[in-house]
Amino acid sequence: MVEAILFYLFAAGVLVAGAQVIFRRNPIYGALSLVGCFFFLSGVYVLLGAHLIAILQILVYAGAVMVLFVFVIMLLNLKEEELGEQRITAWKGIGLAAVMVAAGVIAWRALGPAFPQGALVQAGRRVDNAVLIAGFGGVKAVGRTLYLASILPFEVTSLLLLVAVVAAVVVAKGKI
Amino acid sequence: MDFFHAHQAQHYLVLGALLFALGAAGVVLRRNAIIVLMSIELMLNAVNLTFLAFARFPLVANSPMGSFLSGHAAVFFVIATAAAEAAVGLAIIIAVFRSRTSVNVDEFDTLKL
């Protein structure tokens, strides 16, 4: 019951903040709403038992990536007339609402049969363990998965980040 | 299907679908390149949420040891890739803004600077 209340609270926060991102005309409001959206989303991650990912969400997304966004928005320093007029008309809003209802209904109806009791039932017992195994989603368990099962992608990710940093500097700096 | 007993897989998957729809709408409807990038971040987070929902409520019983958290590993890689994507994307926006003095994606209509 507590989980249900928290889930609906966080879900409402995620959707309201996410809608603010695309409806606000000024990108700085959008960026700050996106930070709020990421915080609510990390709450949802905690409900799913993904504690390490929830912390990473706040550190990397809300901390690093969004600072980059806000920094660039302030660097560009757009004037009022450069923002352009509001492009989201009533018809686009209605279309968005229709798409969201359709996506929600499809996700609910199509995936409902796969999880008859909130989890897959196989051989008469719920596969989903109501009580998670100790350490699920913690640093140790996720670290073991990262370093044992997917060590190559992990190392390639570090290379990717290095390439991205160099590329960002090369592209953004006019003359090297 | 009790709607008010949350903490079922479908609740998280529906939230992920709605968030993805919001992000896709932002990419399609908005013309500000920065907001388009932020909408892409929204879509990536919707995918992350779906990964974590399936990691918590697995579809396969008795998944082998070491892979029951592979969804978390996938989310880790998505977060790292999203950080790289944001850095490069914002650098491109700055470079284009320098030559065009605009961030309107409708005006990005040439491959030559």
Side-chain angles (χ1 to χ4, degrees), chain A residues 137-169:
Chain A
V139 179
K140 188 177 177 186
V142 178
R144 281 183 69 85
T145 308
L146 276 177
Y147 280 104
L148 293 178
S150 48
I151 182 68
L152 181 64
F154 184 76
E155 296 297 337
V156 172
T157 301
S158 61
L159 198 62
L160 172 76
L161 287 174
L162 176 68
V163 170
V165 167
V166 174
V169 172

Side-chain angles (χ1 to χ4, degrees), chain A residues 8 22 24 38 41 45 47-48 50 53 57 61 76 96 100 108 111 120 122 128 133 141 145 157 172 174, chain B residues 1 3 7 11 13 18 25 30 41 45 48 52 56 59 61-62 66 68-69 72 75 77 80 82 91 97-98:
Chain A
Y8 283 114
I22 68 170
R24 285 285 189 155
F38 288 158
L41 209 51
Y45 291 171
L47 288 181
L48 281 168
I53 299 296
Q57 173 87 2
Y61 262 123
L76 296 183
L96 172 59
M100 287 185 68
W108 183 269
L111 296 164
L120 188 72
Q122 276 188 357
D128 159 46
I133 48 176
T145 308
T157 301
Chain B
M1 197 74 59
F3 199 76
H7 210 59
H11 289 85
L13 297 173
L18 294 181
R30 294 303 300 261
E41 301 289 336
N45 273 280
N48 283 349
L52 293 177
R56 174 69 178 78
L59 278 169
N62 304 322
F68 74 106
L69 279 172
H72 291 227
V75 171
F77 296 132
F97 183 80
R98 195 174 285 138

